[in-house]
Amino acid sequence: AGANFRFMEEKYNFQVGGAVQFASLNNLSRRAIWGKDSTTTQSYINFFPNASLDYKVGDNRSVKLNYRGNTKAPSITQLQDVADVSNPLRIRTGNPDLAQEFNNQLDLSYKTTNTSSAYLNLAVNSGITSNKIVNSIDTLGNAVQIVKPVNLNGSYNAGAVATIGLPLVKTATGQRSP
């Protein structure tokens, strides 16, 4: 369930909101030949916030700012504390103590268009992920690897994009067209 509220004026519109999600993960692993059966249960309550601002700087020019938060729950394979020995040189196991990831993403862009001449879009984005799920790799001796998912704090990403569009053909009026 979620809701957004939008405020609109001539030069800008602003939206803020969020959603809530309830999720439960249950798994029963039966080990017929050896070992004991295991049960893995995880329950999550997730909140997904979002906000955006679209501001008209002038004719055919605008600045956009977007924020969104989202989560990623670990898979049952990542949670289940069972050794996968199908490759005896790379043994995989789960981690029942994994927390879900939470990602905060912020995007900023500037766009200008002129249908008779050019188009320009500049954008930057960044994100921070708490409890990022990554693989920890340990070794036994010189040959065997043990791979186990763990949570890592401090995962960051950033990027930038620039797009320029120029017309290639002149129209009958002498103006260039895209």
Side-chain angles (χ1 to χ4, degrees):
N4 288 316
F5 299 96
R6 188 174 199 176
F7 307 94
M8 294 182 67
E9 293 291 331
E10 184 177 331
K11 291 192 73 82
Y12 73 90
N13 76 59
F14 177 72
Q15 178 177 302
V16 64
V20 176
Q21 177 189 42
F22 303 95
S24 180
L25 180 65
N26 298 305
N27 183 66
L28 173 62
S29 176
R30 298 191 186 273
R31 300 179 192 177
I33 298 173
W34 75 92
K36 61 179 181 173
D37 295 346
S38 68
T39 302
T40 303
T41 303
Q42 291 278 355
S43 295
Y44 304 104
I45 299 174
N46 298 311
F47 176 64
F48 303 103
N50 67 71
S52 65
L53 172 66
D54 190 355
Y55 182 76
K56 287 184 179 180
V57 178
D59 290 340
N60 300 320
R61 292 181 294 147
S62 65
V63 174
K64 291 184 180 184
L65 180 65
N66 290 311
Y67 164 78
R68 65 188 169 280
N70 58 48
T71 61
K72 180 181 174 187
S75 70
I76 194 63
T77 304
Q78 291 171 321
L79 289 169
Q80 199 172 38
D81 194 17
V82 175
D84 175 0
V85 293
S86 58
N87 179 351
L89 297 178
R90 188 172 176 94
I91 299 170
R92 295 182 169 272
T93 186
N95 180 356
D97 297 324
L98 281 177
Q100 65 182 348
E101 297 180 2
F102 190 87
N103 183 46
N104 294 285
Q105 186 71 32
L106 188 63
D107 303 317
L108 175 66
S109 67
Y110 170 78
K111 179 171 132 179
T112 180
T113 58
N114 185 334
T115 57
S116 64
S117 60
Y119 164 84
L120 173 67
N121 184 41
L122 304 171
V124 294
N125 60 62
S126 65
I128 299 172
T129 303
S130 302
N131 295 322
K132 177 80 174 164
I133 299 172
V134 298
N135 285 328
S136 169
I137 301 175
D138 295 318
T139 57
L140 293 175
N142 291 328
V144 179
Q145 293 181 334
I146 306 291
V147 180
K148 181 178 183 176
V150 295
N151 289 113
L152 172 71
N153 277 320
S155 174
Y156 307 94
N157 68 63
V161 174
T163 306
I164 299 172
L166 300 171
L168 298 175
V169 180
K170 286 188 179 183
T171 63
T173 62
Q175 299 284 344
R176 291 185 181 257
S177 67

